[in-house]
Structure formats: C-alpha cells, structure tokens
Amino acid sequence: MPQVKAPIVTYSGINQKVEFKDPDATLLDCSIINQIPHMHECGGSGQCTTCRVRILEGLQNITPRTRMEKETAQLRKWDPSIRLACQCYVKDDITIQRLVWNSTEINKLQLETLPEGTAEERAIAILFCDIRGFTKIASENKTFDTAYILNRFYTVLGDPILINNGVIYQYVGDEIIGLFGVSGGMQNKNCKDAVRAALGMQYAIERLNRLELIDFDTEIKMGIGINFGRAFVGHLGHPKHKQFAVVGDPINTASRIQGFNKEAGTNLLISESVHKGFPKNTLNLGKKYSNQMEGHEHETILYELIGFKEMDIQLELQNSLDYLLRNEDEFAEKFYNKVFTKSPQTRELFKNNMQSQGRLLTHMLGGIVYSMSRPEFLELGLKSLGKSHARYGVMEEHYPVVLESLKETIKEELGELFTERIGKAWEQALIDVTTEMKKYASIK
Ligand code: HEM
Ligand code: FES
C-alpha cells in the first residue's frame, strides 16, 4: 500500500508548518495539538467565532461549511475564505492566517452583527470617564515622554472596559467612553459589567499613581458617570466610510452625569436606571443627588458609587491579573516546580517543551478570567479543556495538586499586592475551573 502523505498546515505570520496527522481532528484541534495559540472561547462548539481563520491557500482542500457555519458567515457577510477552524477538517495542504489574537479583537466582533446604514435601538449601559491632571503632567514634564504615558492611560483604562464585555467607543481628548451591551444582553448584566469596569478603572489609576507616577509629584484623578437606557446603535456615515455610532439621549445624559462629579466632589456617579439594574442592597452607595440635567424637564436621581457590597470574584481577579502575569515565564516555572515537587509522577505526562507549555497555561488563566464575563462560553471552553486533559492522561487526583500549586504561586507572585480577598477570589475561581475540568478525568 502506498504511504498516504499527511496534509501540511502552514500558519502564515509565524511561518510554522505542521503535519495534520489525525483525520478526525478539526483545524482548531491541529493548532491545540501543536501548541499554536488559537483563540477558541466556546471550546470549539461553533458559537463564538473567535477561532476564525482566513484560508490563504488551498480553500478546496478543506471540508465545506456546516449549516451552522453557513448561518454565521451569512450574518457577518464573510467571504468564502473565512472559516471557523473548529468546524472544518483538512484533506490536503493549506495555508492559514488566524484572525483573532486577543481580547481587544474579540470585543470588535460584537460590532459585526450591527446593521449597516441604519441604526437599531438597543438597551445599553454607557460609561463616560474623564481623566484629570494629565495636562499638568504633560506640561510640567517637558522631557517626559507624553505619548508613552498617554498610551499607558489608554491601556490601563481601556482594559477594564474590554475585559468586562464592553467596547471602547471613543477616546476624545482626556475622555474615554465605554459601551456595554451593544450586541444585546440583559439590563442587570450590562449594568454590572459597566460598574465592574468603572471600579477596575479606579483601581488601575490608583495603582498607576502609586507605582508609576510617584516621581512626577502629581496625582491623576478620574470622574466617571454611568447611565443605562435605549440608544440607537449601528454603522452610519458616508456610504464609503461607515463608522460605528451610537445616538440618543442616554448618551448625552451619561456625559452630563460624568460632568456632575466636579460639582458634587465625587469620583463615580451612577443614574437611577443603572441602580435599578442591581438587586436590592448589593451596591455600596454614598450620597444621593437629585439633579435637573440640561434639556430635561424631570429630575435625574444620581448615586455616588463606592463599590460592591459583597466580594465580586471577577473584579478581584481582573485587578490582579496583569500584575500576576507580568512575567509569564517566571510564573509558569515556579508553578511547575511546585507541581513536580508535590507529585513527581506528573512530570512524565508532559511531553512538550515546558516553556511553551507554561505560556499556554498562563494564557489560559488570562482567558479564563476574561471569559468569566461570558459564562456561556466559559463552560464550553472548560469542557473542551477537561477532555483534552483526560487525553493527556491527567487523573482526578492530580487536580488538587495543581490547585494548591497555583494558589501558592499566585500568593508569592503578587507579593505585597496580595490580600486575603484576592486570595479567596482566586481560590474560588480555581475550584470552579478544576471542578468543571475534573468531570472529564479518569479516576485511578
Ligand atoms: C486549572 C487547571 C488547568 C489549566 C487551566 C490547564 C491548562 C492547560 C493548557 C492551556 C494546556 C495546553 C493544551 C490544551 O489547551 O489542551 C495544558 C496542557 C497540559 N496540562 Fe494542563 N491545565 C490545568 C490542569 C492540569 C492538571 C491537573 C494536570 C495534571 C498534572 C495538567 C497537565 C497537563 C498536561 C500533561 C498537558 C499537555 C502537555 C504536553 O503535551 O506536554 N494540567 N494545560
Ligand atoms: S466558534 Fe470555533 S471555537 Fe468558538
């Protein structure tokens, strides 16, 4: 019998070629098996579209679109070369480009399903954030790299919006606008995402002041206003240059709420409609204001927001994640050393290069924190991760070892930033993750 040659998959960008040995594996499985980072938020069930690739060569060499993939492609107006890696099988050589790389890009995907040329009414939470004190830094520090620090602001303030399922609508001067729920969602979820983002932004600025701006003899302050309401959302503009736009009274009101911070001497204000999005007694509130906004005949009720009453696991994880993974390789090395000391027999389960393995793990931890704001995908993702671990020979008894080692590494890596609250939040999240994965493991 002549030997059948395995198809070759070439990943453009990293220019890596891998053999596609298992005919039952999907193109996404091929990336995972070969440890090539490939987003797959829903765990390969064809729902999130983050595994999308462009087939640069050999489109005829993969299986045709499934019914579900056809529907997705139609809705998003994809040309035939864009495919969902988790839905296609490879018959012969192909060259592909992965299209989604990080959380910023995932958030852009929300905008794809919005109408072109018309606008649809959607119930969204709108967050206006104004940075104060930046101009002082820029003018007083002539030698100081203003562009660098401006980018740091945009990153630390933009991340909490993105990680909480929001989209960054605009950066205007010293102002950032975030929207939550542009592609749908319930009032309580959209409001909670926006409030968590605001609290994350406050934490990020405090840390920036304390750790990075300490030498500049100035303190950056912020004012944030959040409103919830129905606004028109769509891609509007010149036929040749359509842009994502939101229009409506709730947007202007959100901007005015933000502006009212100065008058009230507050940092974070929410409207009554945001407040209504939360169950009773779950928010820690300060003063209450009744204010007539410009252009309104009625009074608008505003509340000063201090935080959540109970610990919010996601907020604690989000606030510690970037610091925790600032040196991914160091984190992974410490972690695996602990695992192999506690349970030496697990060493032989690992066949691949430990550095790339470490990166996959830390990448996955970040992904887990990120997809906690999309629980429907998180569950599917963990199911797929649990199944792949069963294939690697991971047993139920290994999970407590990994859990303990992760907890210890997190505590050590966070150092002085570690608090009991953060420790508890990570512990709870890791228990949830490993409990879900463990369901698919074998018992000795
Ligand atoms: C919090 C729980 C865990 C997470 C988030 C996690 C994450 C990951 C990730 C992202 C990969 C890369 C491949 C893939 O995506 O399937 C991986 C591979 C692997 N993990 Fe885990 N893992 C966890 C628990 C464990 C446990 C309890 C063990 C047991 C010792 C284990 C052993 C392995 C092995 C053996 C591989 C394959 C490595 C190779 O082929 O060289 N993992 N893990
Ligand atoms: S659609 Fe393929 S991983 Fe979600």
Side-chain angles (χ1 to χ4, degrees):
M1 278 258 292
Q3 192 102 61
V4 184
K5 170 186 137 325
I8 302 285
V9 178
T10 306
Y11 290 76
S12 80
I14 49 173
N15 203 14
Q16 189 168 342
K17 287 183 191 303
V18 300
E19 272 191 17
F20 197 88
K21 287 189 193 133
D22 179 357
D24 295 331
T26 63
L27 181 54
L28 174 66
D29 293 332
C30 171
S31 305
I32 293 174
I33 293 165
N34 290 288
Q35 301 194 318
I36 294 170
H38 199 143
M39 297 293 288
H40 56 290
E41 280 225 317
C42 70
S45 63
Q47 296 181 49
C48 69
T49 80
T50 57
C51 66
R52 63 177 71 176
V53 292
R54 185 180 293 282
I55 312 291
L56 299 175
E57 279 168 41
L59 189 55
Q60 69 285 4
N61 296 337
I62 53 174
T63 49
R65 281 185 170 138
T66 57
R67 193 172 56 85
M68 183 161 55
E69 194 186 341
K70 265 190 201 148
E71 282 167 16
T72 304
Q74 232 164 16
L75 177 71
R76 293 168 193 258
K77 303 190 185 70
W78 286 350
D79 67 62
S81 69
I82 300 184
R83 300 294 309 267
L84 287 180
C86 69
Q87 302 295 305
C88 51
Y89 297 84
V90 181
K91 298 182 291 183
D92 209 338
D93 298 356
I94 53 168
T95 303
I96 65 164
Q97 176 190 20
R98 289 155 298 158
L99 294 177
V100 181
W101 285 88
N102 56 38
S103 56
T104 319
E105 288 159 342
I106 295 180
N107 286 72
K108 282 195 206 131
L109 308 187
Q110 293 188 52
L111 304 182
E112 277 184 349
T113 54
L114 293 176
E116 287 259 347
T118 56
E120 260 176 37
E121 214 189 15
R122 303 255 162 110
I124 55 172
I126 308 115
L127 178 156
F128 270 72
C129 167
D130 182 50
I131 310 167
R132 302 175 205 146
F134 176 71
T135 348
K136 186 167 176 276
I137 296 196
S139 63
E140 287 177 7
N141 294 281
K142 303 263 183 275
T143 54
F144 180 62
D145 187 350
T146 314
Y148 167 79
I149 197 72
L150 198 55
N151 274 331
R152 284 291 295 139
F153 279 128
Y154 286 154
T155 311
V156 301
L157 295 177
D159 278 351
I161 296 177
L162 299 174
I163 206 167
N164 285 298
N165 230 7
V167 290
I168 298 172
Y169 177 44
Q170 271 174 4
Y171 291 112
V172 207
D174 295 342
E175 205 163 61
I176 297 183
I177 308 167
L179 305 174
F180 300 81
V182 284
S183 57
M186 308 293 284
Q187 177 178 12
N188 56 358
K189 165 101 171 69
N190 297 343
C191 289
K192 195 166 188 187
D193 279 343
V195 162
R196 191 183 304 106
L199 296 171
M201 289 161 107
Q202 283 191 326
Y203 180 84
I205 282 291
E206 272 166 33
R207 215 173 65 193
L208 198 73
N209 276 328
R210 192 153 44 95
L211 301 179
E212 292 182 46
L213 298 181
I214 188 97
D215 299 332
F216 293 102
D217 188 32
T218 187
E219 203 182 326
I220 296 291
K221 294 235 163 78
M222 280 190 328
I224 299 179
I226 311 176
N227 190 25
F228 175 82
R230 301 190 74 81
F232 286 92
V233 183
H235 289 103
L236 302 173
H238 186 276
K240 290 207 171 123
H241 185 68
K242 291 219 167 70
Q243 265 188 329
F244 167 59
V246 278
V247 218
D249 183 60
I251 316 287
N252 308 334
T253 306
S255 166
R256 294 196 182 112
I257 295 174
Q258 188 291 113
F260 189 66
N261 274 303
K262 274 197 191 129
E263 218 171 294
T266 46
N267 296 321
L268 174 48
L269 289 168
I270 60 170
S271 64
E272 176 68 5
S273 53
V274 174
H275 182 232
K276 277 196 183 136
F278 287 83
K280 266 204 170 110
N281 274 327
T282 49
L283 289 178
N284 193 353
L285 300 171
K287 284 193 196 137
K288 185 175 173 184
Y289 301 88
S290 181
N291 186 32
Q292 192 169 352
M293 297 280 165
E294 203 185 307
H296 284 183
E297 299 204 334
H298 58 275
E299 297 268 300
T300 301
I301 309 277
L302 302 177
Y303 298 90
E304 180 186 12
L305 181 80
I306 317 283
F308 292 118
K309 273 221 166 114
E310 301 259 312
M311 175 178 80
D312 181 76
I313 295 190
Q314 288 180 55
L315 181 64
E316 300 297 328
L317 301 190
Q318 291 172 7
N319 286 349
S320 53
L321 185 72
D322 62 332
Y323 190 76
L324 191 62
L325 299 184
R326 68 196 178 288
N327 187 342
E328 287 181 86
D329 292 347
E330 183 187 289
F331 181 96
E333 199 185 332
K334 265 195 190 166
F335 161 70
Y336 284 116
N337 282 341
K338 286 185 196 296
V339 174
F340 299 149
T341 311
K342 287 185 210 293
S343 175
Q345 72 279 17
T346 53
R347 181 70 189 87
E348 65 199 37
L349 296 175
F350 292 83
K351 310 273 184 274
N352 291 311
N353 169 302
M354 283 316 285
Q355 191 185 42
S356 45
Q357 167 61 27
R359 288 191 186 156
L360 287 173
L361 174 101
T362 50
H363 187 250
M364 180 57 80
L365 281 183
I368 288 170
V369 173
Y370 182 77
S371 48
M372 281 180 108
S373 62
R374 273 180 292 271
E376 68 281 17
F377 291 158
L378 181 63
E379 199 178 314
L380 291 164
L382 292 179
K383 182 174 171 185
S384 134
L385 198 61
K387 284 186 176 170
S388 68
H389 278 67
R391 281 200 303 274
Y392 303 143
V394 175
M395 315 284 278
E396 202 181 305
E397 68 194 35
H398 295 142
Y399 280 95
V401 177
V402 161
L403 181 75
E404 271 315 300
S405 309
L406 275 172
K407 268 168 49 187
E408 288 171 21
T409 318
I410 288 168
K411 189 168 184 185
E412 283 169 30
E413 281 297 284
L414 282 179
E416 59 162 21
L417 287 190
F418 183 84
T419 60
E420 211 177 302
R421 244 170 121 96
I422 294 182
K424 266 205 189 123
W426 274 102
E427 173 163 20
Q428 191 51 56
L430 291 171
I431 289 175
D432 291 351
V433 165
T434 46
T435 308
E436 194 57 35
M437 286 173 71
K438 233 175 8 187
K439 286 185 191 159
Y440 307 91
S442 2
I443 309 164
K444 206 175 175 181

Short mmCIF file of all heavy atoms in Angstrom, two decimals, residues 104-144:
data_model
loop_
_atom_site.label_atom_id
_atom_site.label_comp_id
_atom_site.label_asym_id
_atom_site.label_seq_id
_atom_site.Cartn_x
_atom_site.Cartn_y
_atom_site.Cartn_z
N THR A 104 -9.00 42.47 22.76
CA THR A 104 -9.43 43.68 22.07
C THR A 104 -10.17 43.31 20.79
O THR A 104 -11.20 43.87 20.46
CB THR A 104 -8.20 44.53 21.67
OG1 THR A 104 -7.29 44.51 22.74
CG2 THR A 104 -8.58 45.92 21.29
N GLU A 105 -9.61 42.31 20.11
CA GLU A 105 -10.23 41.92 18.84
C GLU A 105 -11.57 41.24 19.08
O GLU A 105 -12.50 41.41 18.31
CB GLU A 105 -9.29 41.01 18.07
CG GLU A 105 -8.13 41.80 17.52
CD GLU A 105 -6.94 40.94 17.19
OE1 GLU A 105 -6.85 39.80 17.68
OE2 GLU A 105 -6.09 41.41 16.45
N ILE A 106 -11.66 40.47 20.17
CA ILE A 106 -12.93 39.80 20.44
C ILE A 106 -14.03 40.83 20.63
O ILE A 106 -15.15 40.66 20.18
CB ILE A 106 -12.84 38.92 21.71
CG1 ILE A 106 -11.85 37.80 21.45
CG2 ILE A 106 -14.20 38.34 22.06
CD1 ILE A 106 -11.67 36.88 22.61
N ASN A 107 -13.69 41.92 21.30
CA ASN A 107 -14.72 42.93 21.52
C ASN A 107 -15.19 43.58 20.23
O ASN A 107 -16.35 43.93 20.10
CB ASN A 107 -14.23 43.96 22.52
CG ASN A 107 -14.24 43.36 23.89
OD1 ASN A 107 -13.42 42.52 24.19
ND2 ASN A 107 -15.20 43.72 24.70
N LYS A 108 -14.27 43.68 19.28
CA LYS A 108 -14.68 44.24 17.98
C LYS A 108 -15.71 43.34 17.31
O LYS A 108 -16.53 43.80 16.52
CB LYS A 108 -13.46 44.40 17.08
CG LYS A 108 -12.62 45.59 17.42
CD LYS A 108 -11.67 45.87 16.27
CE LYS A 108 -10.44 46.60 16.77
NZ LYS A 108 -9.19 46.00 16.29
N LEU A 109 -15.63 42.03 17.61
CA LEU A 109 -16.55 41.10 16.96
C LEU A 109 -18.00 41.43 17.30
O LEU A 109 -18.91 41.15 16.53
CB LEU A 109 -16.28 39.64 17.38
CG LEU A 109 -14.87 39.11 17.25
CD1 LEU A 109 -14.83 37.62 17.54
CD2 LEU A 109 -14.31 39.37 15.87
N GLN A 110 -18.19 42.02 18.49
CA GLN A 110 -19.56 42.38 18.88
C GLN A 110 -20.19 43.35 17.87
O GLN A 110 -21.39 43.38 17.71
CB GLN A 110 -19.55 43.12 20.22
CG GLN A 110 -19.14 42.31 21.40
CD GLN A 110 -19.36 43.13 22.67
OE1 GLN A 110 -20.43 43.65 22.90
NE2 GLN A 110 -18.34 43.25 23.48
N LEU A 111 -19.33 44.16 17.25
CA LEU A 111 -19.86 45.19 16.36
C LEU A 111 -20.25 44.64 14.99
O LEU A 111 -20.96 45.28 14.24
CB LEU A 111 -18.82 46.31 16.18
CG LEU A 111 -18.32 46.95 17.47
CD1 LEU A 111 -17.35 48.08 17.16
CD2 LEU A 111 -19.48 47.51 18.28
N GLU A 112 -19.76 43.43 14.68
CA GLU A 112 -20.02 42.87 13.35
C GLU A 112 -21.48 42.62 13.06
O GLU A 112 -21.91 42.66 11.91
CB GLU A 112 -19.31 41.53 13.21
CG GLU A 112 -17.88 41.65 12.85
CD GLU A 112 -17.31 40.26 12.66
OE1 GLU A 112 -17.97 39.26 13.00
OE2 GLU A 112 -16.20 40.18 12.16
N THR A 113 -22.23 42.30 14.10
CA THR A 113 -23.63 41.92 13.86
C THR A 113 -24.55 43.14 13.84
O THR A 113 -25.75 43.00 13.72
CB THR A 113 -24.12 40.94 14.94
OG1 THR A 113 -23.89 41.55 16.21
CG2 THR A 113 -23.41 39.61 14.88
N LEU A 114 -23.97 44.34 13.96
CA LEU A 114 -24.81 45.53 13.95
C LEU A 114 -25.20 45.90 12.53
O LEU A 114 -24.45 45.63 11.59
CB LEU A 114 -24.06 46.70 14.59
CG LEU A 114 -23.77 46.56 16.08
CD1 LEU A 114 -22.94 47.73 16.56
CD2 LEU A 114 -25.07 46.47 16.86
N PRO A 115 -26.37 46.54 12.35
CA PRO A 115 -26.82 46.85 11.00
C PRO A 115 -25.95 47.90 10.30
O PRO A 115 -25.32 48.72 10.97
CB PRO A 115 -28.23 47.38 11.21
CG PRO A 115 -28.29 47.81 12.62
CD PRO A 115 -27.32 46.97 13.38
N GLU A 116 -25.94 47.84 8.98
CA GLU A 116 -25.20 48.81 8.15
C GLU A 116 -26.19 49.85 7.65
O GLU A 116 -27.23 49.50 7.11
CB GLU A 116 -24.62 48.11 6.93
CG GLU A 116 -23.45 47.22 7.20
CD GLU A 116 -22.14 47.89 6.83
OE1 GLU A 116 -22.18 48.93 6.16
OE2 GLU A 116 -21.09 47.36 7.23
N GLY A 117 -25.85 51.11 7.76
CA GLY A 117 -26.67 52.16 7.15
C GLY A 117 -27.88 52.55 7.96
O GLY A 117 -28.43 53.62 7.79
N THR A 118 -28.36 51.67 8.83
CA THR A 118 -29.48 52.04 9.70
C THR A 118 -29.01 51.80 11.13
O THR A 118 -27.98 51.21 11.36
CB THR A 118 -30.70 51.13 9.48
OG1 THR A 118 -30.27 49.79 9.67
CG2 THR A 118 -31.35 51.31 8.14
N ALA A 119 -29.81 52.26 12.07
CA ALA A 119 -29.44 52.02 13.47
C ALA A 119 -30.58 51.30 14.18
O ALA A 119 -31.74 51.51 13.87
CB ALA A 119 -29.14 53.35 14.15
N GLU A 120 -30.21 50.42 15.07
CA GLU A 120 -31.22 49.67 15.83
C GLU A 120 -31.20 50.12 17.26
O GLU A 120 -30.13 50.43 17.80
CB GLU A 120 -30.84 48.18 15.80
CG GLU A 120 -31.63 47.41 14.78
CD GLU A 120 -31.15 45.96 14.73
OE1 GLU A 120 -30.82 45.37 15.77
OE2 GLU A 120 -31.10 45.46 13.60
N GLU A 121 -32.38 50.09 17.90
CA GLU A 121 -32.41 50.52 19.29
C GLU A 121 -31.95 49.37 20.19
O GLU A 121 -32.42 48.25 20.05
CB GLU A 121 -33.84 50.94 19.66
CG GLU A 121 -33.86 52.06 20.63
CD GLU A 121 -35.26 52.33 21.17
OE1 GLU A 121 -36.14 51.48 21.01
OE2 GLU A 121 -35.43 53.38 21.76
N ARG A 122 -31.01 49.64 21.05
CA ARG A 122 -30.54 48.61 21.99
C ARG A 122 -30.45 49.22 23.39
O ARG A 122 -30.15 50.41 23.55
CB ARG A 122 -29.13 48.14 21.62
CG ARG A 122 -29.00 47.60 20.21
CD ARG A 122 -28.89 46.07 20.19
NE ARG A 122 -29.18 45.56 18.86
CZ ARG A 122 -28.28 45.02 18.05
NH1 ARG A 122 -27.04 44.92 18.44
NH2 ARG A 122 -28.64 44.57 16.86
N ALA A 123 -30.69 48.35 24.39
CA ALA A 123 -30.60 48.82 25.78
C ALA A 123 -29.16 48.65 26.24
O ALA A 123 -28.67 47.53 26.39
CB ALA A 123 -31.53 48.00 26.65
N ILE A 124 -28.46 49.76 26.42
CA ILE A 124 -27.03 49.67 26.74
C ILE A 124 -26.68 50.50 27.99
O ILE A 124 -27.38 51.43 28.35
CB ILE A 124 -26.14 50.16 25.57
CG1 ILE A 124 -26.53 51.58 25.15
CG2 ILE A 124 -26.21 49.23 24.38
CD1 ILE A 124 -25.56 52.19 24.13
N ALA A 125 -25.57 50.09 28.61
CA ALA A 125 -25.02 50.91 29.70
C ALA A 125 -23.88 51.73 29.09
O ALA A 125 -23.10 51.22 28.28
CB ALA A 125 -24.51 50.02 30.81
N ILE A 126 -23.83 53.01 29.45
CA ILE A 126 -22.85 53.92 28.86
C ILE A 126 -21.97 54.49 29.97
O ILE A 126 -22.48 54.99 30.97
CB ILE A 126 -23.56 55.11 28.15
CG1 ILE A 126 -24.62 54.57 27.19
CG2 ILE A 126 -22.58 56.02 27.43
CD1 ILE A 126 -26.03 54.94 27.56
N LEU A 127 -20.67 54.38 29.76
CA LEU A 127 -19.73 54.84 30.80
C LEU A 127 -18.87 55.97 30.22
O LEU A 127 -18.24 55.80 29.18
CB LEU A 127 -18.85 53.66 31.22
CG LEU A 127 -17.75 53.87 32.26
CD1 LEU A 127 -17.43 52.53 32.93
CD2 LEU A 127 -16.49 54.46 31.70
N PHE A 128 -18.90 57.12 30.87
CA PHE A 128 -18.02 58.23 30.49
C PHE A 128 -16.96 58.38 31.57
O PHE A 128 -17.30 58.47 32.74
CB PHE A 128 -18.80 59.56 30.40
CG PHE A 128 -19.36 59.83 29.04
CD1 PHE A 128 -20.44 59.09 28.57
CD2 PHE A 128 -18.81 60.82 28.23
CE1 PHE A 128 -20.96 59.34 27.30
CE2 PHE A 128 -19.33 61.08 26.97
CZ PHE A 128 -20.41 60.33 26.50
N CYS A 129 -15.71 58.43 31.15
CA CYS A 129 -14.63 58.60 32.13
C CYS A 129 -13.76 59.77 31.71
O CYS A 129 -13.34 59.86 30.56
CB CYS A 129 -13.80 57.32 32.16
SG CYS A 129 -12.26 57.52 33.05
N ASP A 130 -13.55 60.69 32.64
CA ASP A 130 -12.74 61.86 32.35
C ASP A 130 -11.46 61.80 33.19
O ASP A 130 -11.53 61.58 34.40
CB ASP A 130 -13.57 63.11 32.72
CG ASP A 130 -12.84 64.38 32.42
OD1 ASP A 130 -12.34 64.51 31.29
OD2 ASP A 130 -12.77 65.24 33.32
N ILE A 131 -10.31 61.95 32.54
CA ILE A 131 -9.04 61.89 33.28
C ILE A 131 -8.64 63.32 33.65
O ILE A 131 -8.56 64.17 32.77
CB ILE A 131 -7.90 61.30 32.41
CG1 ILE A 131 -8.36 59.99 31.76
CG2 ILE A 131 -6.65 61.08 33.21
CD1 ILE A 131 -7.44 59.53 30.66
N ARG A 132 -8.36 63.55 34.92
CA ARG A 132 -7.96 64.90 35.33
C ARG A 132 -6.52 64.89 35.84
O ARG A 132 -6.16 64.00 36.60
CB ARG A 132 -8.86 65.40 36.46
CG ARG A 132 -10.30 65.42 36.04
CD ARG A 132 -11.16 65.81 37.20
NE ARG A 132 -12.49 65.27 36.98
CZ ARG A 132 -13.26 64.85 37.95
NH1 ARG A 132 -12.87 64.90 39.19
NH2 ARG A 132 -14.47 64.38 37.66
N GLY A 133 -5.79 65.90 35.40
CA GLY A 133 -4.42 66.01 35.92
C GLY A 133 -3.39 65.62 34.87
O GLY A 133 -2.20 65.84 35.05
N PHE A 134 -3.86 65.07 33.77
CA PHE A 134 -2.90 64.62 32.75
C PHE A 134 -2.18 65.81 32.11
O PHE A 134 -0.97 65.78 31.90
CB PHE A 134 -3.59 63.78 31.69
CG PHE A 134 -2.64 63.40 30.60
CD1 PHE A 134 -1.65 62.47 30.86
CD2 PHE A 134 -2.69 64.01 29.37
CE1 PHE A 134 -0.72 62.16 29.89
CE2 PHE A 134 -1.77 63.71 28.40
CZ PHE A 134 -0.78 62.77 28.66
N THR A 135 -2.93 66.90 31.83
CA THR A 135 -2.34 68.07 31.17
C THR A 135 -1.20 68.62 32.02
O THR A 135 -0.19 69.06 31.50
CB THR A 135 -3.41 69.17 30.95
OG1 THR A 135 -4.67 68.60 31.20
CG2 THR A 135 -3.34 69.76 29.60
N LYS A 136 -1.39 68.56 33.34
CA LYS A 136 -0.35 69.05 34.25
C LYS A 136 0.93 68.23 34.08
O LYS A 136 2.01 68.78 33.93
CB LYS A 136 -0.86 68.96 35.68
CG LYS A 136 0.06 69.57 36.71
CD LYS A 136 -0.66 69.73 38.05
CE LYS A 136 0.28 70.25 39.13
NZ LYS A 136 1.06 69.22 39.77
N ILE A 137 0.78 66.92 34.04
CA ILE A 137 1.96 66.07 33.85
C ILE A 137 2.65 66.41 32.55
O ILE A 137 3.86 66.61 32.49
CB ILE A 137 1.58 64.57 33.79
CG1 ILE A 137 1.00 64.11 35.11
CG2 ILE A 137 2.79 63.72 33.41
CD1 ILE A 137 0.98 62.60 35.25
N ALA A 138 1.85 66.53 31.49
CA ALA A 138 2.43 66.77 30.17
C ALA A 138 3.15 68.12 30.12
O ALA A 138 4.25 68.21 29.57
CB ALA A 138 1.33 66.71 29.12
N SER A 139 2.56 69.17 30.71
CA SER A 139 3.18 70.50 30.60
C SER A 139 4.38 70.64 31.54
O SER A 139 5.31 71.37 31.24
CB SER A 139 2.15 71.59 30.85
OG SER A 139 1.68 71.46 32.17
N GLU A 140 4.34 69.97 32.66
CA GLU A 140 5.43 70.14 33.62
C GLU A 140 6.61 69.21 33.37
O GLU A 140 7.64 69.32 34.01
CB GLU A 140 4.91 69.92 35.05
CG GLU A 140 4.06 71.08 35.52
CD GLU A 140 3.50 70.84 36.90
OE1 GLU A 140 3.87 69.84 37.54
OE2 GLU A 140 2.67 71.66 37.32
N ASN A 141 6.43 68.27 32.51
CA ASN A 141 7.49 67.31 32.27
C ASN A 141 7.91 67.32 30.81
O ASN A 141 7.55 66.46 30.05
CB ASN A 141 7.04 65.90 32.69
CG ASN A 141 6.82 65.83 34.17
OD1 ASN A 141 7.74 65.71 34.95
ND2 ASN A 141 5.56 65.93 34.57
N LYS A 142 8.63 68.40 30.49
CA LYS A 142 8.97 68.61 29.08
C LYS A 142 9.75 67.43 28.49
O LYS A 142 9.55 67.05 27.36
CB LYS A 142 9.81 69.88 28.93
CG LYS A 142 9.12 71.11 29.49
CD LYS A 142 8.42 71.89 28.39
CE LYS A 142 7.77 73.16 28.92
NZ LYS A 142 6.44 72.92 29.47
N THR A 143 10.62 66.87 29.30
CA THR A 143 11.42 65.77 28.77
C THR A 143 10.68 64.44 28.84
O THR A 143 11.11 63.43 28.31
CB THR A 143 12.72 65.61 29.58
OG1 THR A 143 12.34 65.47 30.94
CG2 THR A 143 13.66 66.78 29.38
N PHE A 144 9.61 64.50 29.53
CA PHE A 144 8.87 63.28 29.80
C PHE A 144 8.13 62.82 28.54
O PHE A 144 7.58 63.62 27.80
CB PHE A 144 7.90 63.61 30.93
CG PHE A 144 7.05 62.47 31.34
CD1 PHE A 144 7.59 61.31 31.84
CD2 PHE A 144 5.68 62.57 31.21
CE1 PHE A 144 6.80 60.28 32.22
CE2 PHE A 144 4.88 61.53 31.59
CZ PHE A 144 5.43 60.38 32.10
#
